[in-house]
Amino acid sequence: MRGFLRALGAVVWKDLAAELRSRELLSSMLVFALLVIFIFNFALELDAVARANVTSGVLWVTFVFAGTLGLNRSLAVEKDRGCLDGLLLAPVDRTAIYFGKAIANLVFMLVVAAIVLPVYSILYNVNLFAQGGLLWVIFLGAEGYTAVGTLLAAMAVQARTRDILLPILLFPVVIPVLVAAVKASSGYLQRLPMEEILPWLQLLLAYDVIFTSIAFMVFESVVEE
Amino acid sequence: MDTPANTVAYMIAGYAVIFGVMLIYIVSLVVRHRNLRQEEQLLEELQKEEKKAGKP
Amino acid sequence: MKSQPRLLIGLDVVTVLVMAVATYMVFGYAPIERVMGAVQKVFYFHVAAGWVGMLGFLAAVVAGVAYLVSRKPVWDLVGLGAIEIGLTFMLINIITGSIWARPIWNTWWTWDPRLTTATIMELLYAAYLMLRQGIEDPERRARFGAVYAIIGFISVPLTFFSIRIYRTIHPVVIGGGDPTVSGSFSMTPAMGATFAVSLVAFSFLFASLLWHRIRLGQLGARVEQMKLKLTE
């Protein structure tokens, strides 16, 4: 167990340290996310009335697109530089590698969210931090998304058509996370009573538990060689 | 007594789609099978020729 | 291996016979529904096609697990065949659902949970085929296919629930959106019998098609191997 945790920590730390040095993944995710928000601003005419209804949708579409970018990059780097083979040769549990990559990807997504939320709050003069529940929803949604995303990205980067493949593989599978996260977020933002938000939170939790455990079970057969 | 709505056209369209799509799938199976069979025969002949050429 | 096994020929004959019986019962035996009229007859094969679609996707999961455990290439052929057939019949299900919706709810499309989930499944398994196309190594293709079939199928019930919760909170105005609300009908015994026979007939059809598809896959694998031998 201790060896597992140490390997896990090493994989996470490797990703974060590499990112701290190069900053290429986070910077591209961030610029992309901000661009998406600006495009939405003009595409949807985000005036005060429209905003109340679509804020959570805009936020989640932004996160998901930026997340796809990050996931693809994070696994493609491993594949191209031959790091994946190196990692697999190392005498560590394969699942430690999976959880390490998934946690690193989750951290990247949360960093993007941590910057997008205040920027959005400033741009539209709303305080998205007023509702603590929203932050929980973002955490749960991002967890489910990266749990499946890391697994599918590990498959996509080994295919010939990898750049276009990840979103096609990922989006139909994450629809429940997306619907639940958008509805729960907008529930918090519109200050709906808890019993209207609760089913969504339950769905998010169920998704996270189910998919994290399944991904963890099948990851070995994705990376074996 | 109400007379039922006249929806015969929709019924015909529905069953045309059902049998049409099934037929297309079965035809695709047959065509793929035939192509593979032809290829198999061709390869078998090539193999025989290679054996003959390799012997002497 | 070359000629068809007896059992398969027998299965084909039985399939054709039950399909003929089911078709006769739909048009000649089942009564015309009093409110909706003739279009209600689409119901029998519409549901049966959806049933075959689900059978196919379920079989693909079983085959996927079996492949990952046993690593026998035949399970990959089963999985691919089952998904191909599932896609074909789910497509029939979606299109006939749309044809049904038009006269009953006055719209080609409703965001009904079942119809929507069926369409998302169609996209999901189209992605499965694209994944396979992008991988050359047959062993890796089989592994990834098995993993994606498992992941995809597990997401389906969650997708269904997410859309259903969405619906109950936001009820649709046009025609109820849910077939149990408007466009529902009580089945007479004759209708029930027709429905049951249709389900049985389509189950036979599925078994027979899957068997043929697996044999096709085996033939393809054999040809592939001969090619490799010749190029060596």
Side-chain angles (χ1 to χ4, degrees):
Chain A
M1 190 61 203
R2 178 172 285 179
F4 179 84
L5 282 180
R6 200 181 308 144
L8 177 83
V11 175
V12 177
W13 179 243
K14 171 193 78 71
D15 269 27
L16 296 186
E19 186 52 35
L20 268 180
R21 220 171 312 126
S22 69
R23 289 187 210 93
E24 57 183 13
L25 205 152
L26 268 178
S27 56
S28 57
M29 278 170 88
L30 266 175
V31 172
F32 183 79
L34 295 176
L35 282 173
V36 171
I37 289 186
F38 271 79
I39 290 170
F40 267 128
N41 178 62
F42 297 109
L44 296 179
E45 307 241 356
L46 288 177
D47 52 47
V49 186
R51 231 159 40 223
N53 293 319
V54 300
T55 293
S56 69
V58 168
L59 283 176
W60 276 103
V61 169
T62 309
F63 293 154
V64 162
F65 283 176
T68 320
L69 214 63
L71 283 170
N72 226 344
R73 183 83 192 133
S74 137
L75 273 298
V77 165
E78 300 278 358
K79 177 78 184 156
D80 293 348
R81 299 192 187 145
C83 305
L84 201 56
D85 303 329
L87 268 179
L88 296 175
L89 282 176
V92 290
D93 198 341
R94 296 281 159 86
T95 50
I97 298 173
Y98 166 73
F99 279 121
K101 291 302 286 183
I103 290 173
N105 287 329
L106 177 60
V107 170
F108 293 146
M109 252 187 106
L110 292 179
V111 170
V112 171
I115 297 173
V116 165
L117 285 183
V119 170
Y120 193 95
S121 303
I122 293 168
L123 287 179
Y124 294 110
N125 198 23
V126 287
N127 185 3
L128 292 178
F129 293 93
Q131 296 279 322
L134 180 65
L135 304 181
W136 273 110
V137 173
I138 289 177
F139 176 77
L140 288 177
E143 204 281 328
Y145 184 77
T146 45
V148 189
T150 306
L151 176 78
L152 295 184
M155 297 206 296
V157 295
Q158 298 183 58
R160 192 159 34 84
T161 45
R162 66 184 193 188
D163 294 321
I164 46 168
L165 201 53
L166 179 62
I168 293 174
L169 291 181
L170 185 54
F171 288 173
V173 183
V174 293
I175 282 176
V177 181
L178 220 57
V179 174
V182 168
K183 296 311 288 180
S185 307
S186 87
Y188 277 117
L189 289 174
Q190 298 177 358
R191 292 161 203 270
L192 295 180
M194 198 58 199
E195 65 259 28
E196 278 190 35
I197 305 175
L198 204 60
W200 298 116
L201 290 181
Q202 286 166 339
L203 188 66
L204 270 178
L205 261 177
Y207 189 96
D208 286 3
V209 171
I210 293 171
F211 274 90
T212 308
S213 36
I214 298 280
F216 145 82
M217 281 192 279
V218 295
F219 184 72
E220 277 215 78
S221 31
V222 168
V223 292
E224 76 185 32
E225 215 65 47
Chain B
M1 251 314 267
D2 291 338
T3 48
N6 184 14
T7 49
V8 177
Y10 290 100
M11 180 192 78
I12 294 171
Y15 276 92
V17 167
I18 291 168
F19 286 111
V21 174
M22 285 197 297
L23 193 73
I24 290 171
Y25 185 68
I26 292 171
V27 167
S28 96
L29 280 182
V30 171
V31 167
R32 280 186 282 177
H33 189 84
R34 191 183 298 157
N35 288 346
L36 280 175
R37 261 291 150 79
Q38 274 173 356
E39 213 170 333
E40 191 190 27
Q41 272 165 0
L42 197 80
L43 287 169
E44 263 168 9
E45 267 168 44
L46 277 175
Q47 250 172 356
K48 265 183 215 157
E49 274 174 36
E50 210 162 67
K51 257 185 204 160
K52 260 188 226 159
K55 278 247 167 98
Chain C
M1 193 66 218
K2 300 279 162 170
S3 63
Q4 293 197 1
R6 281 242 175 103
L7 193 59
L8 180 55
I9 298 174
L11 181 63
D12 285 350
V13 172
V14 173
T15 304
V16 170
L17 284 179
V18 244
M19 280 300 288
V21 171
T23 312
Y24 168 75
M25 283 179 84
V26 166
F27 293 107
Y29 174 68
I32 290 178
E33 210 271 334
R34 259 178 303 165
V35 184
M36 285 178 272
V39 75
Q40 183 271 336
K41 284 180 188 282
V42 169
F43 161 84
Y44 305 109
F45 280 20
H46 161 75
V47 177
W51 159 250
V52 171
M54 288 310 290
L55 268 185
F57 299 143
L58 185 67
V61 179
V62 176
V65 174
Y67 178 80
L68 289 183
V69 172
S70 73
R71 301 296 163 121
K72 284 195 183 121
V74 68
W75 286 116
D76 181 48
L77 297 179
V78 177
L80 173 63
I83 283 180
E84 215 180 84
I85 296 167
L87 271 171
T88 308
F89 281 81
M90 218 28 124
L91 182 70
I92 293 177
N93 178 265
I94 294 165
I95 298 178
T96 50
S98 185
I99 289 173
W100 162 290
R102 178 66 196 162
I104 307 298
W105 300 314
N106 206 20
T107 167
W108 287 108
W109 183 260
T110 70
W111 291 99
D112 159 74
R114 268 167 281 186
L115 199 53
T116 312
T117 309
T119 312
I120 291 171
M121 281 170 90
E122 197 75 5
L123 295 172
L124 186 86
Y125 289 103
Y128 167 92
L129 293 182
M130 286 177 178
L131 170 68
R132 294 185 66 105
Q133 258 174 7
I135 306 170
E136 265 118 49
D137 176 24
E139 192 270 336
R140 181 187 287 170
R141 185 168 57 213
R143 251 191 300 131
F144 285 14
V147 168
Y148 194 66
I150 296 169
I151 291 278
F153 192 75
I154 292 167
S155 81
V156 168
L158 291 164
T159 303
F160 179 78
F161 281 123
S162 71
I163 301 166
R164 216 179 58 182
I165 304 173
Y166 191 88
R167 282 277 140 238
T168 50
I169 293 176
H170 292 265
V172 185
V173 188
I174 312 163
D178 194 323
T180 52
V181 180
S182 96
S184 66
F185 55 94
S186 48
M187 265 203 258
T188 63
M191 285 177 174
T194 309
F195 181 49
V197 172
S198 301
L199 279 185
V200 171
F202 271 68
S203 304
F204 271 104
L205 184 61
F206 172 69
S208 150
L209 281 177
L210 183 59
W211 195 338
H212 282 289
R213 182 63 186 79
I214 293 168
R215 284 171 55 86
L216 180 72
Q218 284 170 332
L219 178 63
R222 215 161 51 231
V223 169
E224 208 57 37
Q225 237 160 21
M226 286 168 77
K227 261 190 208 161
L228 277 179
K229 228 183 245 169
L230 272 178
T231 49
E232 255 169 24

